[in-house]
Structure formats: structure tokens, C-alpha cells
Amino acid sequence: MAGESPSQAVPETVETALADRLVEGRVCLEAGAGVGNATAGLLAAGAERVYAVTDDPDHAATVRDRCDDATDRLVVVEADLRQTPLRPDSVDLVTAHGLCNLLDPAALAAVAAELSRVATAGCHLVVDDYEPLPESAAVRDLFAVENAASELATGRSALTFYPASLLRRLFTGHGWTFDRETTLLDPVPWTASHLSAHAGVVTDATEDLPPELGDPLERRAERLAEAIGEEFAGTMYSVAMTRREGDETP
Amino acid sequence: METRPLGATGQESTVATFGAIALNWLEQEGANQMVEHVLDHGVNHFDVAPTYGDAELKLGPKLRQHREDIFLGCKTQERDYEGAAHKLERSLDRLGVDTIDLYQIHGLEYESELDEITGDDGALAAIREAKDDGKVDHVGLTSHGNPGLIRDAIDRIDDLETLMFPLNPVVAGKDDDEHDYEAVLERAEEEDIGTLGIKAFAKGSWPPTSDLPEKDRPYANWYEPVDTPEEIRDRFDFAASQGLSTVVTPGDPKLVSMVLDAAGRYDGMDEATQRSLVEQSRHDDSPVPEQLHH
């Protein structure tokens, strides 16, 4: 995964989501660092320090490689987001860019509580994710196969698309106040590259399954990715919230 | 079709400009029909160059017939006084007109060229002289080179009135200096310089000639274009919504009709949809590592 890097440009989705937040001089937490898109955006916007938290060693290495010119401001933390080593009241800005759809409801509840625990009073939160896809979207079939493979392999779904309104209410319950919602992408471009990555998740999940169960799912995912090719469907949103002063996590 | 001020020239250009290189691939009768077709869609700004095969000659008859309805841009790749003065006369002769509305320095690529063009014996001196003689109305520059160099040109050419440069979602998604044509656009707007967008319909480079010989390419463009009505419309709407004065139609005549249709229907593009196109290109462009998200 290291070496060949993705486009180093900070995606416009991240730039747009951060545009109205104060980043300069702030201690930031990217929850679920992925390939470091939001981390790169936070560093570019002048964050004092970025904790890039991920439980995936490959992602951790990718983020370190990508942002190796900012090592004095970047701390890649390999940890479970439900229980991070960060102190309470230590983070001024939390980003969860494309994270929540990877969390099943139980994990989402635990992560929301943990992010609220580490947030300072007045901390900003930026949650960027996808609205549930319209029924007409062909990629839903691929994601259904992905969920089936994951359920069989781990007992958990791989993808859950939470409406913005639901995440907003969840965090309100943890003492956050709603600031704004912005549409980042409309429609969302599910490119051949994305579909291939999702089919790859199916392949990984089916490795632990008996062939008679896993092989048909793997073939189905590959066929769907090829048949769909590329699809524009659904929307990606950004919700921004602020942690109320003096509020305790329930 | 919507019109916009072309900087401070006083010209109101349609949001689509006809790239007359398309005429090079047509016989004279087809070229005549193409010009009528373009005019029927309301386009009032044409762009041609002596390096586009015999496009100047094929544009000539219909240009002369409709001279009052067409704002004519032409170009020169000459960098010195003599060359530019000669090529201008040649273009006037080939086009069969007395005046070129916008004469552009074509394809600026190197800083040394900028030195030569702006020198006492440079191409700009010839164009300014032609302006005094009434053969040229306005001075422009075209480049798909370094955006920093184009910004230098803005600083160094006081009477520059238009700029032509690439702008599409692939370019917009890259944030390195080499692709920062958005900074050029911003600077041009500050200086009230008219802006013409090229390569709006470029999808990417052609496959290597070992995989696809040049003679087997399905389009005359020197890049691989998008070619469905939906993609063409998205690309047109994207380019037109970036703040350009006008968007130049692609070089292959087979694509022109679809672009004219898109231009006629243009009514803006919201920012989330613009980002969607940028995001699509970002992933097309960087397959390793693959990402689940945007």
C-alpha cells in the first residue's frame, strides 16, 4: 500500500466540509483515518496537531507516508475508535469523513460516546457520510453482497448508510449542538475504482468462509462491479456540530 | 444562448465559442453547413488558427457572408515581429476579411518565449501596430502551459484582453501548481480579462499508439474526449459554471452538435454536482490504492 500514493490532492469534499470550521492552531482528531484524506486537509489548513486514529495498520502506514512532511504535527494512533488512548477534553475538532457507514449501530453508539469523551467544551465535529441510497441505485446490489459476506464472516454488516438526521440526533444526545448541514456530493460518483474496492472487501470476507458459501458471493460481487462499471447515485452530506460548554457526556 | 462579457473588450460572447478547427475535417460543403448549424444555435464567437490545417480557408466563405454576426478570434505561433506581421497578413488573406476581432499569441509554453514576445522586436509589437492600422481589435493569449507562466504574462502584457487555457474537472481536482488554472481564472477576473476555456471535454490521454494506432482513433482530438450527451452536458455545465467567459467547442466535428445543445440548455450547475465530477476524475486518475470512499 505504501509507495504508490493516491492523488495527494486534498479532496474537494474535505475542503468543503472544513471550509467554515476553525482548523488553524487546533488539536484535531480524524476518526477512521483511511488513506488520510481528512488528515491531509486538516494539516493543510494549519492544524496544530492531528491525531489520525485507525485500527488498520495499512491505513496507518499510508497516512504516515502521505503526510511525511508534517510529522511534527501528525500523530498516527493505531487504536480502536471505541476506546482510544486520548485524554478527556483534549481535542478541539473531530472529523469523521466517510467513517460512520463502516460502523454497525452498536459500534456507532460506542464511537459517538468516545468522540464526545475526548472533545473539549466548544469542540467542533464534522461528520461526512452518505444518505441511504435510492432503491433504483444498482450499487445497492453490490453493497448487499458486501454486507452478506461480512455478516457470514464476522456477524456484522460491512456498510450502513445513516441519514444525516439520525447522526445529528445521535450526537445531540451526547451534548453536541447542530450548526449546519451541507451537501458535499450530489450525485455521488461510484467509479470503477470504488466498485473494485468494494468487490475487494467481499473477496477478503469470503476468505474465511467455506467455498460453497463464499465463492458464489465473490463471483456475484465481481460480476456486479463489472456490469455496473460506474454509477452516479445518492448524496454525500456534511454535518457540523459544536460541543456545548460545560456539558457532560450522559 | 447565454452571453457573457468577454472581459473589458466590449464584446458579449455566447457561453459557447466555436472552435473552427472542426472545419479542417470537413469538405467545403460540410464546413459551410457546420457554420450555418453553429450560427443557428446562436453562437457569436468563432476561434480559428493558421495551424488548424485548412480551417481558415474553409471558414472563409461563410465568415464573409455572416461577418457582422461573428466575433472572430485568430492566433499566431510566431514569437517575433516579422513572423507575426507576416502570419497576420496571411490569415487575413486566407480568411478573406479586413479585420480580426481578437488576435492571440498561440500556445505560450516557455518563459523565454514570453521574453521574446514582449521584446521590442517581438510579436506583440506587430499585433499592436496592426491594432493601430485597424486590422486587429483586441489582443489575447492562449496556453496550456504552466499556470504560473500565464500569470506572469498577465503581469507583463498590460494590454492583454483575453486568455485561453484548459479547465475541466480533471484539472480542477489537482491542487499542485502545475494544474492551478483556477488561479489564472481568478487573476484574469481581477484584471477584467476575458477567459476562454479549452479541453473542457477531455477525458484523458489516448492509449499508447502501440495499443491504439493514431489512425484508429475514433476522434480527431489530440486527447480522448467524453462522447455521450450526458457527459458532454456535465462537462459543458462544469466549465461554464467556473466563471469562464466562454467555453470552446471540441475539435472533432462529430462532437460539436452535442456541445451546442448543452450550451443552449445551460442554466448553471450547483456546487455539489461540480464536486461530484471532480471526485469522479480524482478516482479515475489514481487507481492505487483503491478507496471505498470520496
Side-chain angles (χ1 to χ4, degrees), chain A residues 61-138:
Chain A
T62 301
V63 176
R64 281 194 197 97
D65 270 2
R66 177 173 182 170
C67 305
D68 63 357
D69 57 342
T71 44
D72 54 328
R73 294 188 291 140
L74 171 65
V75 185
V76 178
V77 182
E78 287 186 51
D80 187 327
L81 271 172
R82 291 170 292 194
Q83 198 174 5
T84 72
L86 299 180
R87 283 180 292 112
D89 306 318
S90 59
V91 175
D92 305 316
L93 171 61
V94 176
T95 60
H97 183 77
L99 167 72
C100 294
N101 66 86
L102 297 173
L103 304 174
D104 66 12
L108 176 67
V111 168
E114 177 64 3
L115 296 180
S116 305
R117 182 186 71 82
V118 301
T120 56
C123 178
H124 285 252
L125 170 70
V126 178
V127 180
D128 306 334
D129 229 287
Y130 308 94
E131 286 290 339
L133 284 157
E135 295 217 4
S136 57

Side-chain angles (χ1 to χ4, degrees), chain B residues 88-99:
Chain B
L88 171 62
E89 290 299 334
R90 184 168 171 264
S91 286
L92 287 168
D93 186 51
R94 281 159 63 103
L95 291 159
V97 295
D98 301 324
T99 311

Side-chain angles (χ1 to χ4, degrees), chain A residues 97 130 183-184 187 189 196, chain B residues 273 275-276 280 290-291 293-294:
Chain A
H97 183 77
Y130 308 94
T183 303
L184 295 179
S196 160
Chain B
T273 311
R275 284 192 290 271
S276 174
Q280 176 198 23
E290 287 168 336
Q291 297 175 41
H293 298 127
H294 298 84

Side-chain angles (χ1 to χ4, degrees), chain A residues 1 4-7 9-13 15-16 35 37 97-98 101-102 130 182-191 193-194 196-198 201 230 232 236, chain B residues 169 171-176 182 231 234 238 242 269-294:
Chain A
M1 180 112 16
E4 283 293 322
S5 55
S7 168
V10 176
E12 288 200 4
T13 47
E15 283 181 350
T16 306
V35 298
N37 281 328
H97 183 77
N101 66 86
L102 297 173
Y130 308 94
T182 305
T183 303
L184 295 179
L185 296 172
D186 180 13
V188 176
W190 300 101
T191 66
S193 161
H194 289 105
S196 160
H198 282 278
V201 173
E230 173 176 73
F232 286 79
M236 185 179 195
Chain B
V171 164
K174 295 181 177 169
D175 62 2
D176 52 346
E182 286 146 312
E231 289 173 308
D234 280 347
F238 180 89
Q242 302 307 298
M269 177 179 255
D270 66 51
E271 289 186 358
T273 311
Q274 292 175 38
R275 284 192 290 271
S276 174
L277 293 177
V278 171
E279 190 63 17
Q280 176 198 23
S281 313
R282 194 172 73 84
H283 289 272
D284 282 353
D285 212 39
S286 58
V288 180
E290 287 168 336
Q291 297 175 41
L292 296 173
H293 298 127
H294 298 84

Side-chain angles (χ1 to χ4, degrees), chain B:
Chain B
M1 190 178 295
E2 182 183 323
T3 62
R4 297 174 176 179
L6 185 66
T9 60
Q11 156 73 4
E12 288 277 332
S13 286
T14 40
V15 71
T17 285
F18 176 52
I21 190 174
L23 303 178
N24 180 51
W25 317 108
L26 303 171
E27 300 298 329
Q28 186 61 52
E29 195 179 342
N32 292 345
Q33 289 170 3
M34 175 65 89
V35 173
E36 290 291 349
H37 182 55
V38 170
L39 289 170
D40 282 349
H41 276 82
V43 172
N44 68 4
H45 187 147
F46 282 40
D47 186 79
V48 72
T51 46
Y52 298 162
D54 57 6
E56 286 182 326
L57 291 169
K58 285 174 178 158
L59 174 60
K62 284 292 172 183
L63 172 66
R64 294 191 290 277
Q65 182 186 337
H66 298 286
R67 186 66 190 93
E68 294 306 306
D69 303 322
I70 295 172
F71 180 88
L72 175 67
C74 190
K75 315 191 191 81
T76 183
Q77 276 186 334
E78 301 295 332
R79 301 303 185 228
D80 65 346
Y81 177 94
E82 281 300 326
H86 171 73
K87 276 289 166 63
L88 171 62
E89 290 299 334
R90 184 168 171 264
S91 286
L92 287 168
D93 186 51
R94 281 159 63 103
L95 291 159
V97 295
D98 301 324
T99 311
I100 288 168
D101 300 303
L102 172 64
Y103 201 55
Q104 302 149 109
I105 299 282
H106 192 176
L108 178 73
E109 253 188 283
Y110 306 106
E111 196 176 342
S112 59
E113 290 180 296
L114 189 52
D115 294 338
E116 188 178 358
I117 290 157
T118 54
D120 290 343
D121 197 28
L124 273 172
I127 299 173
R128 285 170 186 145
E129 206 172 281
K131 214 173 147 180
D132 292 340
D133 294 343
K135 294 175 183 170
V136 166
D137 275 344
H138 305 284
V139 181
L141 175 82
T142 82
S143 178
H144 44 81
N146 189 308
L149 180 63
I150 305 177
R151 293 206 305 278
D152 286 348
I154 297 176
D155 290 336
R156 291 176 60 180
I157 306 173
D158 288 339
D159 52 354
L160 188 67
E161 294 174 271
T162 71
L163 275 172
M164 184 186 288
F165 52 89
L167 202 57
N168 60 43
V170 184
V171 164
K174 295 181 177 169
D175 62 2
D176 52 346
D177 292 344
E178 206 183 317
H179 295 91
D180 198 2
Y181 293 102
E182 286 146 312
V184 173
L185 182 60
E186 203 173 303
R187 193 70 224 293
E189 278 170 0
E190 283 166 18
E191 299 288 331
D192 206 6
I193 290 172
T195 47
L196 299 93
I198 48 174
K199 289 175 82 177
F201 308 95
K203 183 156 73 177
S205 308
W206 287 109
T209 47
S210 52
D211 296 344
L212 180 70
E214 213 171 315
K215 66 178 174 52
D216 293 341
R217 290 176 185 168
Y219 293 103
N221 310 63
W222 58 275
Y223 50 81
E224 185 173 7
V226 295
D227 61 357
T228 67
E230 295 77 20
E231 289 173 308
I232 293 260
R233 193 160 178 211
D234 280 347
R235 288 304 198 88
F236 185 88
D237 290 358
F238 180 89
S241 61
Q242 302 307 298
L244 293 163
S245 310
T246 180
V247 179
V248 182
T249 59
D252 190 299
K254 297 189 289 298
L255 300 172
V256 171
S257 238
M258 283 191 278
V259 176
L260 295 174
D261 179 66
R265 293 202 274 163
Y266 174 74
D267 64 350
M269 177 179 255
D270 66 51
E271 289 186 358
T273 311
Q274 292 175 38
R275 284 192 290 271
S276 174
L277 293 177
V278 171
E279 190 63 17
Q280 176 198 23
S281 313
R282 194 172 73 84
H283 289 272
D284 282 353
D285 212 39
S286 58
V288 180
E290 287 168 336
Q291 297 175 41
L292 296 173
H293 298 127
H294 298 84

